[in-house]
Amino acid sequence: HGSLELTFRCNLRCVHCYCNLPAADQKAASKELKTGEVYHILDQVAEAGCLWLLMTGGEPLLRKDFLEIYGYAKEKGFLITLFTNGTCMNQEIADHLAEWRPHQVEISLYGARKETYESITCVPGSFDRCKRGIDLLLEREIPLGLKTMAMTMNHGEISLIKEYADHLGVRFRFDPALNPRLDGAKTPCHYRLSPEEVVALDRKDEKRSGEW
């Protein structure tokens, strides 16, 4: 198994995220691995026997060379899972994923309501773009899962997000673990649920409770 963070930049400004540098941060972009350097890493991990590869960020679709990197990884034989917020998904990328199918794509959906979602992402219009990204993948029957970070701002909607995922016929999971930012700021920790609240969410979900 391997995990590759292609960028720490993101087009959203989520209150809970540990690595959401601005999408237009040129200094951050200049520090990212070049395309050829990513290829070299993929060569090495393939040689080491890696089969399952996670591509994540930040928002990996922000990279202009994302499709090139994804295609190279597919040619190396990796079974790829892609983590994305879905807002950058377009027809070109969706068509490419339909032709070169990933093992799965997971999209983060932070609220069942636009108001909740955008209070977390801090970007107007991001909810509709996320939903559009979900639709683009479903239209092409690309393996899709939805997930969310469970926090103080959305814990009342976790069950509603799950209902939406069930309605779409896709997998759903949530994660309550919020970490400090890479720069040491502890802002995300302010949105952590208490242990009792996390256990209550676990117990609401029959499948999750059964797994525990």
Side-chain angles (χ1 to χ4, degrees):
H1 292 77
S3 178
L4 184 60
E5 293 180 312
L6 291 173
T7 179
F8 285 152
R9 295 177 296 122
C10 187
N11 59 315
L12 304 180
R13 300 191 299 274
C14 296
V15 297
H16 65 279
C17 189
Y18 73 94
C19 68
N20 62 342
L21 297 177
D25 188 332
Q26 293 304 306
K27 183 178 180 181
S30 69
K31 294 181 179 180
E32 294 173 1
L33 294 168
K34 304 298 186 288
T35 309
E37 293 174 319
V38 177
Y39 288 175
H40 185 49
I41 289 174
L42 293 173
D43 291 340
Q44 292 179 72
V45 294
E47 180 66 23
C50 179
L51 177 62
W52 300 92
L53 181 68
L54 168 65
M55 288 188 172
T56 183
E59 175 47 54
L61 301 190
L62 280 181
R63 285 192 60 132
K64 295 179 181 179
D65 59 356
F66 169 76
L67 290 181
E68 287 80 3
I69 291 172
Y70 178 85
Y72 189 85
K74 285 291 292 184
E75 289 174 358
K76 300 297 290 187
F78 293 109
L79 297 173
I80 299 173
T81 295
L82 173 64
F83 284 1
T84 175
N85 61 41
T87 63
C88 294
M89 188 64 62
N90 57 35
Q91 289 193 5
E92 178 188 7
I93 297 173
D95 287 342
H96 190 87
L97 294 177
E99 183 176 358
W100 298 87
R101 294 175 70 82
H103 172 68
Q104 66 174 341
V105 177
E106 287 196 7
I107 288 181
S108 299
L109 182 63
Y110 298 119
R113 299 183 304 118
K114 178 178 181 177
E115 294 77 12
T116 303
Y117 179 94
E118 293 184 0
S119 70
I120 292 171
T121 65
C122 301
V123 176
S126 55
F127 181 73
D128 290 338
R129 293 200 299 274
C130 177
K131 297 288 285 292
R132 175 59 177 157
I134 291 170
D135 291 342
L136 285 169
L137 297 180
L138 289 176
E139 288 167 3
R140 290 158 178 78
E141 299 182 347
I142 294 170
L144 176 64
L146 297 183
K147 60 182 179 178
T148 195
M149 298 302 298
M151 64 189 97
T152 57
M153 298 177 69
N154 70 356
H155 75 283
E157 295 187 13
I158 301 297
S159 60
L160 295 177
I161 301 172
K162 183 181 184 300
E163 287 178 13
Y164 174 68
D166 290 343
H167 172 72
L168 297 179
V170 303
R171 297 174 301 278
F172 171 74
R173 65 184 179 89
F174 67 85
D175 185 353
L178 303 182
N179 300 304
R181 296 193 189 277
L182 292 178
D183 62 6
K186 296 183 178 180
T187 309
C189 302
H190 300 161
Y191 302 97
R192 284 177 175 169
L193 296 174
S194 69
E196 292 79 9
E197 288 171 321
V198 174
V199 171
L201 286 175
D202 284 339
R203 286 177 169 168
K204 276 186 178 180
D205 187 323
E206 185 175 334
K207 180 180 178 182
R208 188 177 176 101
S209 181
E211 290 173 349
W212 281 118

